[in-house]
Amino acid sequence: MSGLAVVTAARRYRALIASPGVARVALPSLIGRLPYGMATLVFILAVQHGTGSYAVAGIATGAHSAITAFTSPWLGRLCDRGHAVAVLRVTGVLYALMLSGMVAALWTHQPVALIIGLAALAGAVNPPVGAVTRVVLPGLAPAHVQTAYAFDAITVELTYVLGPVLIALVTAVSNPYVAVIVTALLATVGSLGLAAAPGLTARYREVRTAALARAATAGVTTSAALERALKANRLMRLSMVVVLVVGALEAAAYGVMEVAIPKYAADLGAPQAAGAVVAAWSAGSILGGVWFSGMNPKLSQAKLFALLLCLNTVGFAAMLLAFGLPSLALILFLGGMVISPTTAVECSLVTRIAPAGRSTEAFTWVGTGIYVGFAAGSSLSGLVINQGTSLSTVILIATAMVATGALLALAASRRITTDAATNPVPTTLPAPAPAH
C-alpha cells in the first residue's frame, strides 16, 4: 500500500465527513448497524443460557435471520415510497420490544415456541439502517460518492469487529440477557438517530421525484420507444440479478470458511484462537477500504467489480498454502484487503442499475442474497465437515463459489456497464435544514 494512497484517502475521508449532513447520518448508522455484528452471537448465547439447548438457540437464530431476509425488501420498498422516516422509527422501537420480550420469555422459562416466535418477529422488524444509509450517504456528498461507499463498507466491517467485542465485555460483567438488551438499545438509538438526520427526507424526496419524472416521460413516448424502454428495463433487472447472485455466492463462500476455520483451530488444539483468525479478515478489509479510497481506478465499475472478485478468488485459493493458524491469519488478512473495495463497487453498481426509485429495496435484496448465501454456505460446510472432509477440500469448495461469481461478473460486465450508463442516478441534494 503506497503512502500516497493513504494520504489521499485521509484527505477524502476528511472532506466526506465535513460535507453537510454526513456526520448526522454516519454516526447513527454505525450505532444502528452494530447489532448486525452482534445478532448471531448474542442469540446463541442468550437462548442457550435460557433453554440449555444449542439446538433451540440455532433455530431461534435461524428464524431471526430468515425472517429478516424475507421482510427487508418490503421495508425497503416502503422507504422508497417516501416512508423511510416512519419505517426507521417504527422498526427501531418494535425491534427493541421484540428482543425485550424474548429476554422476558427466557427469564421466566416460557415455552420454546414463544421464544422462537419472538426471535422471528424481531427479524421481521429488523431496521433497514444499512440500506437507507447507502441511499442517503452518497447523495449528501455528490463529489465523494466512491469515498462514501468505501466508508460505508468499512463501517460494516467495523460492526463485525466491535460487535463481538462489546458482547464479550457485557457478558463478562453481567450475563447474555443484558447483552440482548444492549443490542436492542443500539438498534433503537441508531434507527431513531438516522430517522432524525436532516438530509434523509430531502434525499428520498429527490429520488422519488426523479423516478416519477422518468415514469411520466415514458408515458408520453411512442409505442416503439416505450417497448424499447421496457426491454431495457428488463435487461437492467437482469444485471441486478447478476449482481445479487454474485453477492450470494461470495457470502456462501464466507459461510463455508467461517464454519471450517473454527474446526481447523480446534483440530490444532487452539479453538480459542478461531475468533482472532477470522477477525484478521475484517482487519484486512478495513485496511483495504482505506487504501481503495485513495485510488482513482480507470476501469468501469463493472469491470472493476469483476477484477476484485478475481483477486478475491486468489485470496481464497491462497488458504491452501496455510500451514498453521498464524499463516492462515496472515493469508486472510492479505486476502481480506479486497473485501471492502468489492463491497464499495457493488454498492455503486446497485445504485446505478436498480429500477428508478427503488434503490433501498435493491439494497435490501442484496442483504437477502447475503443472508441466504451465508446460511447455505454454513450449512454445506457443516455437512461436509461432519463427513470428515479435509480443510483443503473445503477451501476448494469455497474457492469454486467465489470463482463462479467472478466468472459470472466478468461475463456480464459489458451488459452491466451499459445498464449503469443508461440509468444515471441523481446525486445532488438540497442543503439540509439546520438542526434545532
Side-chain angles (χ1 to χ4, degrees):
M1 178 183 297
S2 67
L4 179 60
V6 174
V7 172
T8 302
R11 186 171 65 249
R12 290 176 178 175
Y13 279 123
R14 187 165 58 248
L16 173 68
I17 298 299
S19 299
V22 167
R24 288 290 304 275
V25 168
L27 181 58
S29 176
L30 174 60
I31 295 171
R33 283 196 279 192
L34 278 173
Y36 293 6
M38 301 166 68
T40 297
L41 181 58
V42 80
F43 267 84
I44 293 292
L45 292 175
V47 177
Q48 192 280 330
H49 181 75
T51 65
S53 170
Y54 278 104
V56 174
I59 293 172
T61 303
H64 179 270
S65 297
I67 300 301
T68 294
F70 178 77
T71 60
S72 58
W74 300 100
L75 294 176
R77 184 172 296 184
L78 283 173
C79 290
D80 286 328
R81 290 179 177 176
H83 307 298
V85 170
V87 168
L88 288 170
R89 287 174 176 170
V90 172
T91 57
V93 173
L94 288 179
Y95 190 71
L97 289 176
M98 293 302 105
L99 290 187
S100 299
M102 188 186 74
V103 168
L106 288 167
W107 185 274
T108 56
H109 304 290
Q110 296 299 314
V112 166
L114 177 61
I115 294 167
I116 294 173
L118 288 168
L121 287 173
V125 291
N126 203 342
V129 173
V132 170
T133 300
R134 287 171 173 173
V135 172
V136 175
L137 193 61
L140 292 172
H144 309 285
V145 172
Q146 177 180 302
T147 306
Y149 284 129
F151 178 81
D152 180 82
I154 291 172
T155 299
V156 173
E157 293 299 332
L158 280 173
T159 66
Y160 288 97
V161 174
L162 299 178
V165 171
L166 183 57
I167 289 175
L169 291 175
V170 172
T171 54
V173 300
S174 56
N175 60 64
Y177 295 160
V178 176
V180 175
I181 299 301
V182 169
T183 301
L185 289 175
L186 289 172
T188 300
V189 169
S191 297
L192 297 181
L194 183 58
L200 189 142
T201 301
R203 174 59 176 167
Y204 271 99
R205 187 185 303 120
E206 182 187 54
V207 173
R208 182 71 174 160
T209 300
L212 292 173
R214 199 173 305 174
T217 301
V220 297
T221 58
T222 64
S223 59
L226 183 57
E227 180 63 30
R228 288 196 299 271
L230 290 172
K231 181 179 180 181
N233 191 51
R234 285 194 295 270
L235 290 171
M236 196 173 295
R237 290 173 186 269
L238 179 60
S239 294
M240 188 73 207
V241 169
V242 169
V243 174
L244 296 183
V245 170
V246 170
L249 286 168
E250 287 269 300
Y254 289 116
V256 167
M257 294 311 303
E258 289 201 19
V259 173
I261 290 172
K263 175 63 166 58
Y264 178 59
D267 289 345
L268 293 178
Q272 72 281 357
V277 173
V278 174
W281 244 345
S282 293
S285 178
I286 292 170
L287 189 60
V290 173
W291 164 76
F292 182 71
S293 302
M295 302 297 291
N296 296 297
K298 304 300 182 183
L299 292 174
S300 69
Q301 293 287 290
K303 291 181 178 178
L304 183 58
F305 186 52
L307 174 61
L308 288 168
L309 288 169
C310 290
L311 292 175
N312 203 22
T313 304
V314 173
F316 269 80
M319 293 183 213
L320 292 168
L321 303 176
F323 51 87
L325 292 178
S327 62
L328 179 58
L330 177 60
I331 292 169
L332 291 176
F333 176 80
L334 295 174
M337 292 181 68
V338 300
I339 296 176
S340 283
T342 304
T343 302
V345 175
E346 181 184 33
C347 289
S348 179
L349 286 174
V350 169
T351 299
R352 300 187 66 184
I353 65 179
R358 296 175 67 179
S359 296
T360 313
E361 182 185 353
F363 280 122
T364 55
W365 276 113
V366 171
T368 294
I370 290 173
Y371 274 116
V372 172
F374 191 87
S378 300
S379 300
L380 175 63
S381 186
L383 290 174
V384 298
I385 287 173
N386 282 339
Q387 299 298 319
T389 306
S390 67
L391 178 66
S392 296
T393 302
V394 175
I395 291 173
L396 287 173
I397 292 172
T399 302
M401 292 175 174
V402 180
T404 301
L407 290 173
L408 183 60
L410 192 60
S413 61
R414 181 175 295 182
R415 176 73 261 168
I416 295 173
T417 298
T418 301
D419 288 344
T422 57
N423 189 38
V425 175
T427 54
T428 56
L429 182 71
H436 297 289

